[in-house]
């Protein structure tokens, strides 16, 4: 049996305009465009050992700060197997291979830092290589979207990425709107707790529409996508940050008003939001955004990074901080 | 100079359907009906010493757990003086009197327990008596509404009160929809902190409409008022409680999405919400509601009061609890 090993480094991404709710659950078509930045220090190393014509299908995960890979079964493994079948079928690939997947996160998973995006974007590239296929970036982004972790499509292209909702599977993909060095933004992740969330984003998406604020939110997003794009290209952090925070609160209000309600925030989240609003008054521009989890991402410019990091890492609510700059997308290393 | 002394005991009320946003700021006409219960153990004792033909206008406040009355000036006094003038003008009263007002709360003020409602409803009755006027309850409720603390109108009638938004000042008042003994509900107030909120409800109302979710919320309220009324008269606590919590989250999401955003919740608030959702799973029906502040009101039935009180008073987030049953409205004691 031939065996080959593929290693992919794939970043998580932080969304400035969020993806929440699926117009087409099967094809993972979102209701709205979203906009994100790839993160330098929150990434997943995905190593796939392939065995041609074999049936082995195994998944090993090394958690953040753990020293060993542990075998994963159940739902996580099932998603990987389903994705393998889907990729194979979509590519109309003749080859069959077994796999052992090793996934290693540089950050806590399931805590609102898009760990499934980094993992599945990496796995997309690895499977593609496994099948011996090369595709244009757009097609790879579409495949990553179909993994089920929709936002994985934003971890394929470089730097600052825009996911066009599209009209169907072929037109719903992410692409770079500015390279990593366009704007020296920082995402300082405040880890308030590394406990895993109890409701997955996948599950949450399904009930997004039950919120009476879901469709009103979409109207707001239509305005925000235009204005945040303008603020971004002007590098107007104040305007950018104001939209960022509106977007975050809008997302979480939808979550909290879904049936069943989703309270991703913890007490530390709301206390930290208040601290950010206060500390900003000292004239240091920095803004919060929060994904589907309790941890907070602070967006600021490189010039203010040190003062902001210093202040927040000393807050009792903050377990640790991770500082990210914009980087390229998912890459095959070997 | 003749001097007379009037003492009024006036309850705070907890709203099941909340009042937020004014259709007419000057006349304090709300956008929606609201629905509340008068609280037995959260009340204000308002004593007014009147001096005929005198110009003295003084306000003394004894805070919760304080032992002395302190003289109050500034905004609080100004509101009282304005209200005196308004009542006098609306009643077309010929008399003029000076006043020394003593206000004493049985609960922390400005912490989301409607302290201005209990105070101004009490003051309404005291001023009316001062002017020697007797009015139908409906007219008194209208006057209390015009104090500026709109929800004061709900502390005038007895028991469970419905504030009809009305079309103008003459049609916007509260009335009893069920007497205090109709349903043995309890409001267990969890005092998470007795610090005063930094933004008053009055201020917050003004910006309610800036939330993109304000008008969508009104649509939800239209549905909720009907269904909570039915659940109330059926004494269906499960249905009642579900609507209560939807209403609360809807209110606070509007607040958080106003410009400027209002974060009344503290970390303890969200942690306690989560505890309630968990503890309820043990089969003890109880539901939360939160006014414009960080503290939490737990609504339950008398039969479960002890177990619920016992559990929450031992939580580290909870400073103390206040247990309320439904009572009559504002009453002149002497």
């Amino acid at each position: 049996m031939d065996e080959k090993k593929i290693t992919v480094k794939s970043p998580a991404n932080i969304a400035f305009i969020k993806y929440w709710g699926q117009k087409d659950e099967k094809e993972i078509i979102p209701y709205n465009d979203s906009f994100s930045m790839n993160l330098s220090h929150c990434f997943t190393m995905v190593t796939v050992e392939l065995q041609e014509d074999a049936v082995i299908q195994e998944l090993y995960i090394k958690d953040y700060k753990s020293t060993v890979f542990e075998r994963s079964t159940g739902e996580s493994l099932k998603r990987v197997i389903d994705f393998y079948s889907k990729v194979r079928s979509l590519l109309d690939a003749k080859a069959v291979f077994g796999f052992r997947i090793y996934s290693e996160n540089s950050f806590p998973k399931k805590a609102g830092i898009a760990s499934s995006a980094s993992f599945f974007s990496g796995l997309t590239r690895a499977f593609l290589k496994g099948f011996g296929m090369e595709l244009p970036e757009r097609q790879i982004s579409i495949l990553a979207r179909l993994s089920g972790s929709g936002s994985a499509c934003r971890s394929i292209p470089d730097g600052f990425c825009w996911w066009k909702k599209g009209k169907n599977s072929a037109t719903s993909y992410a692409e770079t709107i500015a390279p990593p060095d366009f704007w020296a933004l920082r995402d300082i992740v405040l880890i308030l707790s590394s406990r895993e969330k109890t409701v997955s984003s996948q599950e949450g998406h399904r009930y997004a529409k039950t919120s009476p604020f879901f469709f009103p939110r979409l109207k707001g997003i239509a305005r925000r996508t235009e204005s945040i794009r303008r603020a971004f290209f002007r590098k107007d952090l104040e305007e950018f940050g104001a939209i960022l925070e509106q977007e975050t609160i809008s997302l979480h209000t939808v979550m909290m008003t879904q049936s069943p309600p989703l309270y991703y925030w913890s007490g530390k989240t709301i206390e930290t939001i208040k601290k950010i609003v206060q500390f900003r008054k000292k004239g240091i521009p920095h803004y919060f955004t929060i994904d589907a989890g309790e941890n907070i991402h602070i967006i600021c410019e490189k010039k203010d990074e040190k003062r902001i990091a210093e202040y927040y890492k000393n807050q009792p609510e903050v377990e640790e901080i991770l500082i990210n700059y914009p980087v390229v997308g998912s890459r095959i290393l070997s």
Side-chain angles (χ1 to χ4, degrees), chain A:
Chain A
M1 250 184 301
D2 265 5
E3 180 161 324
K4 74 177 170 182
K5 193 165 136 181
I6 302 161
T7 298
V8 184
K9 180 178 177 181
S10 206
N13 63 74
I14 178 65
F16 304 134
I17 297 291
K18 314 289 189 185
Y19 151 56
W20 194 248
Q22 297 157 344
K23 197 156 192 170
D24 184 329
E25 280 184 33
K26 202 168 149 279
E27 301 277 355
I28 323 285
I29 312 288
Y31 271 97
N32 60 276
D33 285 17
S34 54
F35 171 31
S36 64
M37 169 180 124
N38 287 329
L39 303 179
S40 61
H41 282 67
C42 295
F43 57 87
T44 303
M45 298 294 295
V46 182
T47 300
V48 182
E49 289 174 6
L50 300 179
Q51 296 188 336
E52 276 173 35
D53 301 314
V55 291
I56 188 167
Q57 293 182 317
E58 294 174 5
L59 171 63
Y60 297 87
I61 295 175
K62 191 161 99 178
D63 274 335
Y64 179 56
K65 289 190 176 167
S66 165
T67 52
V68 290
F69 282 96
E70 287 190 45
R71 186 159 175 183
S72 189
T73 53
E75 191 53 34
S76 305
L77 178 62
K78 188 179 171 301
R79 282 185 70 184
V80 163
I81 294 172
D82 288 351
F83 186 49
Y84 165 81
S85 305
K86 190 183 259 186
V87 173
R88 190 166 173 277
S89 144
L90 285 168
L91 296 177
D92 208 11
K94 300 288 168 264
V96 173
F97 57 77
F99 50 78
R100 266 197 204 91
I101 299 168
Y102 298 88
S103 168
E104 190 178 353
N105 275 342
S106 73
F107 59 100
K109 68 173 175 177
K110 295 186 185 169
I113 323 179
S115 56
S116 59
S118 54
F119 173 69
F120 278 104
S121 55
L123 195 61
T124 305
R125 289 215 186 260
F127 279 166
L128 273 175
K129 189 168 180 194
F131 287 116
M133 308 284 269
E134 284 192 28
L135 290 177
E137 186 184 86
R138 178 178 300 186
Q139 298 302 325
I140 304 174
S141 178
I142 289 171
L143 270 185
R145 191 197 82 234
L146 288 165
S147 68
S149 172
S151 53
C153 77
R154 293 189 313 238
S155 289
I156 298 293
D158 291 348
F160 298 93
C161 301
W162 197 276
W163 176 7
K164 296 197 283 194
K165 62 182 174 185
K167 287 183 160 46
N168 49 38
S169 188
T171 52
S172 185
Y173 55 86
E175 58 190 4
T176 299
I177 63 163
D181 62 357
F182 172 74
W183 191 4
L185 282 185
R186 294 294 178 265
D187 173 7
I188 304 178
V189 185
L190 308 182
I191 307 283
L192 306 181
S193 160
S194 48
R195 65 186 162 205
E196 293 184 17
K197 58 195 179 198
T198 50
V199 181
S200 73
S201 316
Q202 269 211 312
E203 183 78 5
H205 274 290
R206 205 163 301 151
Y207 300 103
K209 269 181 289 188
T210 64
S211 165
F213 299 143
F214 181 76
F215 290 102
R217 164 172 156 76
L218 289 184
K219 279 193 200 166
I221 286 185
R223 277 193 307 274
R224 283 195 287 275
T225 45
E226 276 318 294
S227 45
I228 205 168
R229 189 193 261 271
R230 276 198 302 271
F232 175 75
F233 283 110
R234 279 201 317 265
K235 299 181 189 172
D236 177 345
L237 184 61
E238 203 177 324
E239 173 73 7
F240 187 86
I243 302 165
L244 191 69
E245 294 189 353
Q246 284 165 19
E247 167 62 9
T248 297
I249 300 296
S250 156
L251 171 73
H252 285 267
T253 57
V254 164
M255 291 166 163
M256 287 190 273
T257 49
Q258 293 182 196
S259 305
L262 270 182
Y263 302 113
Y264 279 128
W265 291 358
S266 69
K268 291 175 174 184
T269 311
I270 186 89
E271 291 302 333
T272 306
I273 287 176
K274 291 179 175 187
K275 280 194 183 170
I276 292 169
V277 171
Q278 282 308 314
F279 189 56
R280 190 160 63 214
K281 290 181 183 162
K282 292 194 190 294
I284 307 165
H286 61 296
Y287 302 87
F288 63 82
T289 184
I290 308 167
D291 274 359
E294 70 174 292
N295 297 314
I296 290 189
H297 299 250
I298 290 183
I299 306 299
C300 64
E301 290 184 303
K302 182 184 173 189
K303 67 180 174 60
D304 296 315
E305 171 194 321
K306 279 198 185 130
R307 286 170 71 195
I308 294 169
E310 199 58 41
Y311 177 76
Y312 289 98
K313 90 178 169 206
N314 291 317
Q315 298 302 314
E317 294 86 3
V318 177
E319 285 186 8
E320 64 174 312
I321 64 172
L322 303 170
I323 303 181
N324 296 279
Y325 51 84
V327 288
V328 296
S330 181
R331 286 284 194 279
I332 294 175
L333 299 188
S334 62

